């Protein structure tokens, strides 16, 4: 019988490649199902407009029901609620054991119901957590030693992120910059092969190409570089405020002990469903908002401000519902709204005019990610891969630098550090006397 030590060679890369294929099929299937769920939600909204009387109650009821069901699913499986990225980080830091494979159906079904019903959550949380669970299970089935199981758990989490946004480089950088904060040859190689096979298999279901199609952008003016620095600094303040709101809403919900988690999720779902009935762009993961802005369809400044404020609150509120779902996609949509709004307000003062709001929306996506997650290179590369906006690399560098530095100087804790510490607090074993 071959012992675990004997398998600590090239075999682990084969395991990562096979597990990557599974991550690609599961993550790609999850995204495909989300598209169908969004189409169904759109049909439902159209039907509610045709109903006589209180037709607006239909989206409220459906979102409330979806949030309650998704929360009930998460209650059955420990740590299935929320993003899951903080759990991946905890496993890497040896604060927790890798989750068993039974996490996967809870994340898939719960995430599909929660996101499909319209909660302001991101698809990357479930795909990252499912990828990590598949990687760990593959290592256990191949009888790898605990160190390689942890490496597979971490590297396949990056593959899950890559599948969520069709961003292979972003997935690799996410593992090195955000999850582990180290660059090691074995970790990088496992992430590379796992991500390559995952994205390749997901494209069988989703097709290729970036998530967003944007118009051709002119080369940015050098005179605008200080503007992007100032814009990044302002985004750092916004990102720090967003992190505080996420943690604050979670803490508030923890103190409301008279209402059970499922009932609380239903109330939150009803609020988000009301926003959904008013305007579909006010709810959902945010791809519709980002896609509209990046295509050049920019609403008036007052409309942008309303979208920004309501989604700024709806995102943390949705996360507090305790369903599976991530923070990245809503963050990117919030950044795009912020960038377009700042452009509209500052247009009369920009030097030499401006090439339009789209570059500011793209910069807002990257800078908002950098300020909240505190992973500027990952945010930059992820945004470029999603949009194909390689001509904006220099402005994005400036904006991400300023956003990260500002949020850090304000004493803002990176969002997943806060969530990991909070999770450790609530899952700490009871003290014995």
């Amino acid at each position: 019988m071959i012992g675990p030590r004997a398998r600590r060679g090239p075999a682990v890369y084969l395991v990562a490649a096979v597990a990557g294929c599974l991550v690609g099929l599961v993550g790609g299937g999850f995204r495909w199902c989300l598209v169908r769920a969004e189409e169904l939600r759109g049909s439902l909204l159209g039907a509610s407009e045709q109903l006589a009387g209180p037709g607006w109650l239909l989206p409220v009821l459906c979102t409330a029901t979806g949030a309650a069901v998704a929360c009930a699913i998460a209650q059955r499986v420990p740590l299935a609620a929320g993003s899951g990225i903080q759990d991946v980080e905890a496993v890497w830091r040896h604060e927790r054991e890798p989750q068993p494979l039974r996490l996967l159906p809870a994340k898939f079904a719960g995430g599909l119901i929660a996101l499909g019903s319209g909660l302001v959550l991101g698809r990357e949380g479930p795909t990252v957590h499912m990828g990590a669970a598949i990687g760990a299970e593959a290592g256990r089935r191949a009888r790898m030693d605990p160190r390689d199981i942890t490496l597979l758990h971490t590297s396949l989490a990056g593959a899950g992120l890559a599948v969520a946004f069709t961003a292979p480089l972003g997935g690799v950088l996410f593992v090195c910059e955000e999850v582990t904060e180290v660059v090691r040859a074995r970790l990088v190689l496992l992430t590379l092969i796992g991500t390559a096979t995952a994205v390749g298999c997901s494209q069988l279901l989703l097709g290729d190409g970036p998530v967003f199609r944007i118009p051709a952008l002119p080369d940015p003016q050098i005179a605008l570089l200080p503007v992007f620095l100032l814009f990044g600094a302002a985004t750092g303040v916004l990102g720090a405020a967003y992190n505080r709101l996420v943690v604050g809403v979670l803490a508030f919900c923890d103190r409301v002990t008279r209402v059970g988690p499922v009932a609380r999720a239903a109330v939150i779902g009803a609020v988000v469903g009301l926003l959904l009935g008013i305007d579909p762009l006010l709810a959902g993961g945010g791809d519709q908002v980002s896609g509209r802005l990046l295509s050049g369809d920019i609403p008036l400044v007052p409309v942008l401000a309303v979208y920004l404020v309501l989604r700024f609150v709806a995102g943390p509120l949705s996360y507090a519902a305790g369903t599976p779902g991530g923070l990245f996609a809503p963050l990117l949509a919030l950044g795009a709204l912020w960038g377009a709004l700042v452009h509209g307000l500052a247009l009369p003062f920009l030097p030499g005019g401006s090439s339009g709001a789209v570059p500011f929306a793209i910069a807002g996506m990257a800078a908002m990610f950098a300020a909240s997650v505190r992973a500027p290179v990952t945010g930059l590369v992820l945004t470029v891969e999603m949009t194909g906006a390689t001509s904006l690399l220099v402005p994005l560098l400036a904006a991400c630098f300023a956003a990260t530095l500002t949020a850090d100087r304000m004493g803002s804790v990176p969002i997943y550090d806060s969530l990991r510490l909070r999770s450790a607090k609530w899952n700490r074993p009871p003290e014995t006397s």
Side-chain angles (χ1 to χ4, degrees):
M1 183 178 294
I2 300 176
R5 289 280 179 184
R7 293 180 182 268
R8 285 195 56 219
V12 70
Y13 300 112
L14 177 61
V15 173
V18 174
C21 292
L22 294 176
V23 173
L25 294 175
V26 172
F30 183 71
R31 281 185 59 182
W32 186 91
C33 290
L34 281 179
V35 172
R36 306 286 85 79
E38 289 173 0
E39 292 174 352
L40 180 61
R41 190 173 73 226
S43 300
L44 178 70
L45 290 173
S48 68
E49 294 175 356
Q50 303 300 321
L51 290 176
W56 56 272
L57 286 176
L58 186 58
V60 171
L61 178 62
C62 289
T63 308
T65 302
V69 171
C71 180
I73 292 173
Q75 289 288 307
R76 303 282 295 182
V77 180
L79 300 176
S83 169
I85 292 175
Q86 64 270 27
D87 180 58
V88 175
E89 294 182 359
V91 170
W92 174 259
R93 289 164 173 78
H94 306 292
E95 298 170 359
R96 187 174 294 141
E97 293 297 319
Q99 292 296 304
L101 195 61
R102 67 191 183 95
L103 177 74
L104 195 151
K107 277 288 186 180
F108 194 106
L112 178 61
I113 294 171
L115 275 67
S117 65
L119 291 179
V120 186
L121 297 170
R123 60 182 178 271
E124 78 294 328
T127 57
V128 166
H129 219 178
M130 290 189 292
I134 291 172
E137 184 66 19
R140 286 190 286 259
R141 294 294 180 94
R143 299 178 55 248
M144 296 289 170
D145 68 10
R147 186 169 69 174
D148 278 343
I149 291 175
T150 299
L151 285 172
L152 287 166
H153 180 271
T154 304
S155 59
L156 272 297
L161 181 76
V163 169
F165 295 124
T166 318
L169 286 178
V172 175
L173 287 169
F174 165 75
V175 168
C176 296
E177 186 182 28
E178 167 59 20
V179 177
T180 67
E181 299 180 353
V182 299
V183 179
R184 297 176 184 169
R186 193 174 183 85
L187 173 67
V188 172
L189 291 176
L190 286 171
T191 307
L192 285 173
I193 186 61
T195 298
T197 55
V199 174
C201 287
S202 70
Q203 288 177 342
L204 298 176
L205 300 172
L206 304 170
D208 54 8
V211 174
F212 300 115
R213 303 284 182 178
I214 65 171
L217 299 174
D219 293 335
Q221 305 172 38
I222 297 299
L224 287 175
L225 195 57
V227 175
F228 280 100
L229 279 169
L230 292 173
F231 171 71
T235 307
V237 176
L238 186 70
Y242 192 78
N243 286 5
R244 288 178 63 87
L245 185 60
V246 170
V247 176
V249 173
L250 288 171
F252 173 79
C253 289
D254 291 338
R255 293 193 296 269
V256 183
T257 56
R258 294 186 178 182
V259 180
V262 175
R264 182 176 62 207
V267 173
I268 292 173
V271 174
V272 176
L274 182 60
L275 294 177
L276 188 67
I278 295 171
D279 188 336
L281 296 180
L282 293 174
D287 274 9
Q288 288 184 332
V289 178
S290 300
R292 177 177 173 181
L293 296 174
L294 297 180
S295 67
D297 183 7
I298 311 296
L300 297 175
V301 166
V303 177
L304 287 170
V306 171
Y307 284 161
L308 178 71
V309 170
L310 291 180
R311 289 191 65 92
F312 190 91
V313 176
L317 189 63
S318 296
Y319 195 80
T323 69
L327 293 169
F328 281 8
L331 266 176
L332 295 173
L334 201 64
L337 284 167
W338 168 246
L341 176 62
V342 169
H343 174 269
L345 294 172
L347 183 59
F349 310 102
L350 294 178
S354 171
S355 57
V358 174
F360 280 82
I362 294 173
M365 293 169 66
M368 190 68 182
F369 183 99
S372 176
V373 182
R374 216 61 51 80
V377 180
T378 302
L380 186 153
V381 172
L382 191 69
T383 302
V384 169
E385 287 189 290
M386 293 177 70
T387 61
T390 55
S391 63
L392 296 179
L393 281 174
V394 174
L396 292 182
L397 285 168
C400 288
F401 160 76
T404 303
L405 183 63
T406 301
D408 190 61
R409 292 288 178 164
M410 291 181 65
S412 173
V413 180
I415 186 60
Y416 290 111
D417 284 354
S418 297
L419 295 176
R420 178 172 54 83
L421 294 172
R422 181 181 182 277
S423 178
K425 172 185 175 182
W426 284 102
N427 291 281
R428 184 182 300 153
E431 296 181 358
T432 57
S433 57

